[in-house]
Amino acid sequence: ILAANEAAALTLGRARQDLLGTTYLFLLAPAVARETQLAIDRVFAEGVAVRLAQSYYGAQFDTNIYPVKDGDDAVSSVALYSTDVTERAQQRAVDNLFHEIDKRILLGHAKKTLFEYICREVARIFDFPVVWIGRKMPGGAVSVWANGVQDESDAGYFAKFEAIGVRWDNSPLSKGPAGSATRSGQLQITHVTDRDFAPWRKTADAHNLRAFLSVPLILRGEVFGNFTLASRSDHVFDNAPTVRRLTDIAGRICVAEERAMDHEQLRLLQAALSAAANGVFITDQNGRIEWLNAAFVTITGYSEAEALGASPRLLRIGKGDSSFFAEMLQSIAEGQAWSGETSEQRKDGTQITLRQTITAIRDESGEARHFISILEDVTITRAAEESVMRLAHYDHLTNLPNRALFNDRLHNAVARANRSKDVMALMFLDLDHFKAVNDTHGHDVGDLLLQQVAQRLQACVRASDTLARLAGDEFTILLPSVAAREDVIVVAEKIVAAFASPFNLGNITLDSGVSVGIALFPTDAADAAPLLKHADTAMYVAKRGGRNGYAFYGDPLNPSPVLPQ
């Protein structure tokens, strides 16, 4: 490390001056270090920026690694920028958790089952090894009412923990985080080294637990328990947004407790639904809306006056497919809760994607008298997920499939060809003298050339074929089904001919050729990796044959005729 800012020092848990001169990879978890080393190697080797999505110690980072070049245009070092996206990822996961909690409450899940689900999900979302909900008991004891672990190796923690015990009175066993939160009604953050944590330190050390957060669970002004979380990081609870989200979850636990009560709880449930961020509406048994909350109006654009008495079909559920609506109602009428995503329209015609949960409300005889539906607008979430998926699988410069997506398609194509006994062709393409273009005209011109090459290659293949950019000036074309070798030759000659005319790159006109190596499945290889390797080998044969041509693997003495540029 030659230089680092304060944010890097905070993330890595070191003073900034102590980072200088240390080896960055030694500060990371082994899996993250390996991934980062490969990316840094690529930056030095290819001179291109690399983007990584990384996760460790419960935090998530968007990392970009850029080449830093010296006066000779050689990569001399790298600059690493890592953005903490934990807050966005956690908030999305917590929103999904809240939706699921609401659904399970409406389905009538038992409180203990619900709270154990919450503990397991919180452990997973935030990377906490141990999560539990404690119940305040008469006489001063605190019992473990529900718990969850991220890894089964920590399942034995609670037996040891309960053998020691926790209290909420003024005894020595009340000084820990759970006892203090239950007694005081205040949030507590404790570290394993704190003096008052001594009774539980040995058990915590055995499971490598370093820090604890305990949130009091308060209902109608009275503490009835605690929500306690343990981390293997000393500093995770220093993060205010994380603590806020955990206290929000504790608040939702309190709401769930309250909703499970008697008639008074039902009244409070209606108030909670009215203020919920998710849209909620209730219909009669004929499907006419009788009640809705403010979020329904916000999500759909229909006013309360317009929606009351109307059918949910005003949202054009199922894009106008009446059979979809009928099947959904039939499923609910048969006693099944229905949950799914539908494409619908707001009043202004805007298309939206809603996640819905619909449950029948039955009378004492078991007949469905009403239906309650919870709506969550996931339009932005789905669009964001699609964008992330595209970034992960497509080359940002040419918009072609990248190496990861190509490898996935190659393996699938090999599996299909094995089943169908088809012949498949793989072409490995490398531009001739591309380095000279970058060295002479700069990388901006090189990028323009790559974009135009991608366009010409796209015109040479079918919709069923896969054209991908692996890295630099290396491209691949997968022909998943060919009748004969001659069919492959037609495509190869079409590709070489596509390079016959010069490329117009702004104020520069350049000639460029391409060397194409071809390997056939199953003749040359019966698996994906050797097939790609053989196509690469054939490409070098084409280069030795004079460039701007093609060659088949296993035919080194007979490359294709070189076409004039």
Side-chain angles (χ1 to χ4, degrees), residues 350-355 376-385:
T350 304
Q351 286 292 129
I352 56 175
T353 301
L354 294 183
R355 180 188 295 164
E376 180 184 8
D377 186 350
V378 295
T379 308
I380 296 177
T381 301
R382 292 292 167 266
E385 289 174 352

Side-chain angles (χ1 to χ4, degrees), residues 27 117 160-161 208 222 227 251 347 407 450 459 485 500 540 546:
L27 305 177
Y117 165 78
K160 306 172 192 173
F161 179 75
N208 193 26
E222 295 290 331
F227 181 48
K347 181 182 177 181
N407 284 333
L450 291 173
R485 179 184 175 108
Y540 282 103

Side-chain angles (χ1 to χ4, degrees), residues 428-435 437 446 449-454 457 472-475 495 499 503 512-516 539 543 547-548:
F428 197 106
L429 293 75
D430 187 88
L431 301 189
D432 295 332
H433 308 300
F434 179 72
K435 184 177 184 300
V437 174
L449 176 59
L450 291 173
Q451 289 172 334
Q452 291 191 20
V453 165
L457 291 177
D473 61 330
E474 294 178 347
F475 296 82
I495 290 170
F499 283 73
F503 291 85
S512 182
V514 63
S515 297
V516 183
M539 181 272 293
K543 282 189 179 294
R547 301 180 184 267
N548 200 35

Side-chain angles (χ1 to χ4, degrees), residues 77-220:
S77 58
V78 296
L80 186 146
Y81 296 82
S82 194
T83 303
D84 190 339
V85 296
T86 307
E87 184 170 352
R88 181 167 68 246
Q90 285 183 357
Q91 188 60 60
R92 182 168 61 248
V94 169
D95 289 343
N96 290 336
L97 174 63
F98 284 176
H99 177 83
E100 185 65 19
I101 291 172
D102 290 343
K103 182 175 76 173
R104 292 180 181 230
I105 290 172
L106 291 172
L107 291 173
H109 286 212
K111 284 192 296 183
K112 183 173 178 60
T113 301
L114 174 62
F115 291 159
E116 286 179 341
Y117 165 78
I118 293 173
C119 289
R120 290 193 303 271
E121 283 300 290
V122 170
R124 179 186 64 82
I125 292 168
F126 293 87
D127 196 26
F128 291 145
V130 171
V131 178
W132 61 284
I133 296 174
R135 171 72 76 174
K136 180 181 180 181
M137 304 299 290
V142 176
S143 67
V144 177
W145 189 27
N147 67 76
V149 296
Q150 188 180 34
D151 190 292
E152 286 304 313
S153 63
D154 292 310
Y157 169 80
F158 291 100
K160 306 172 192 173
F161 179 75
E162 289 190 284
I164 301 170
V166 178
R167 301 186 66 81
W168 57 269
D169 52 19
N170 254 337
S171 66
L173 291 178
S174 71
K175 307 299 184 182
S180 297
T182 305
R183 181 178 64 257
S184 68
Q186 301 293 319
L187 181 146
Q188 302 290 320
I189 296 176
T190 303
H191 293 84
V192 70
T193 54
D194 291 351
R195 182 182 62 183
D196 290 335
F197 195 77
W200 306 277
R201 186 175 297 135
K202 183 177 179 180
T203 300
D205 285 340
H207 292 266
N208 193 26
L209 306 180
R210 308 302 304 163
F212 301 80
L213 170 71
S214 190
V215 185
L217 300 177
I218 302 174
L219 186 60
R220 299 176 188 174

Side-chain angles (χ1 to χ4, degrees), residues 35-54:
E35 179 188 45
T36 305
Q37 179 67 70
L38 290 173
I40 290 174
D41 289 346
R42 181 182 169 193
V43 174
F44 273 102
E46 300 177 9
V48 297
V50 174
R51 182 177 182 180
L52 300 174
Q54 299 183 307

